[in-house]
Amino acid sequence: MRLPYYATGDILRAAVRDETDLGKVAREYMDRGDLVPDAVIVGAIAERIDSSEAADGFILDGFPRTVPQAEALAERLEELGRRLTAVLLIDASDEEVERRLGGRRTCVENGHVFHVELDPPQKEGVCDIDGSELIVRDDDNPDVIRRRLVTYHEKTEPLIELYDHQSLLRRIDGGQAPDAVADELKRMLATLKLEADEAI
């Protein structure tokens, strides 16, 4: 069974692209590399985890990013009679994060992602899949990446201790090759599913 995957970045970028009310509010924050206010993102996530498609579980990517968001998520899950199974941390140095994000190229048509070093397109600047232009997203330019890292250390890093204290944290070495990280993630998710099935 495939669990629904909710990436806050994708949700917000789609809202910006479609010029929804959420998108208009989010755009000014995202363009600066700042975090979208908690009330905005918590509302967007709550809609999804309360949907029928998430009834058997879900994966959140990029949320929560702050302790208040984590507390709001815990409250919402408690209202729904649910709980977190695990929190996965892909642990990488700032230098590696800058290298990965700085080399990322995204196609304007459908959001396919390439990397200038790790997964270059066959033709520079052109998406292999749909032929559209590949661009550097505003939040992938070096200055914004550095600001995002400062924000991460100030606001998101405290979640590591919070979830470790709750025995929910699982660490993955983000310095490995992308395929190795993906394989480790899959193994960890499979193990967590097995443990959840055995607990029923």
Side-chain angles (χ1 to χ4, degrees):
M1 177 187 71
R2 292 179 65 88
L3 295 175
Y5 170 84
Y6 303 128
T8 52
D10 292 346
I11 292 167
L12 293 172
R13 279 188 292 277
V16 168
R17 183 190 65 234
D18 298 339
E19 297 185 346
T20 66
D21 290 342
L22 169 65
K24 289 171 186 170
V25 172
R27 173 172 222 133
E28 58 184 276
Y29 294 94
M30 293 169 68
D31 285 349
R32 291 197 306 264
D34 293 337
L35 293 179
V36 175
D38 289 350
V40 176
I41 194 60
V42 169
I45 291 296
E47 266 183 17
R48 283 160 176 81
I49 65 176
D50 198 17
S51 67
S52 58
E53 74 171 2
D56 292 324
F58 52 86
I59 296 172
L60 297 178
D61 180 357
F63 181 86
R65 291 193 183 196
T66 65
V67 170
Q69 285 181 0
E71 291 168 347
L73 175 62
E75 286 173 18
R76 188 69 178 128
L77 287 171
E78 188 173 352
E79 288 169 11
L80 297 170
R82 307 180 76 171
R83 63 178 181 81
L84 287 179
T85 305
V87 175
L88 308 181
L89 170 66
I90 300 176
D91 207 358
S93 68
D94 286 4
E95 293 75 22
E96 184 64 14
V97 170
E98 288 188 46
R99 184 173 80 92
R100 299 272 178 114
L101 293 180
R104 187 163 61 176
R105 301 293 181 267
T106 306
C107 89
V108 295
E109 194 65 36
N110 293 297
H112 302 119
V113 178
F114 296 84
H115 193 280
V116 294
E117 294 174 46
L118 303 170
D119 183 24
Q122 293 174 6
K123 183 177 178 185
E124 187 176 345
V126 179
C127 177
D128 293 349
I129 300 165
D130 59 31
S132 68
E133 179 188 6
L134 294 176
I135 60 165
V136 178
R137 287 184 354 204
D138 289 340
D139 56 349
D140 283 344
N141 81 54
D143 288 340
V144 175
I145 292 170
R146 283 190 280 275
R147 283 201 301 274
R148 289 170 69 190
L149 283 166
V150 169
T151 300
Y152 169 81
H153 291 302
E154 288 176 356
K155 298 191 175 184
T156 304
E157 210 165 43
L159 290 174
I160 295 173
E161 184 177 350
L162 175 75
Y163 285 128
D164 198 22
H165 183 69
Q166 296 175 16
S167 300
L168 290 171
L169 190 71
R170 310 284 189 278
R171 290 177 184 266
I172 294 166
D173 178 7
Q176 305 175 83
D179 287 347
V181 172
D183 287 344
E184 194 171 340
L185 273 169
K186 287 175 191 169
R187 280 195 301 273
M188 195 168 284
L189 288 170
T191 300
L192 290 165
K193 168 97 171 65
L194 190 62
E195 289 172 356
D197 289 346
E198 287 174 351
I200 294 174

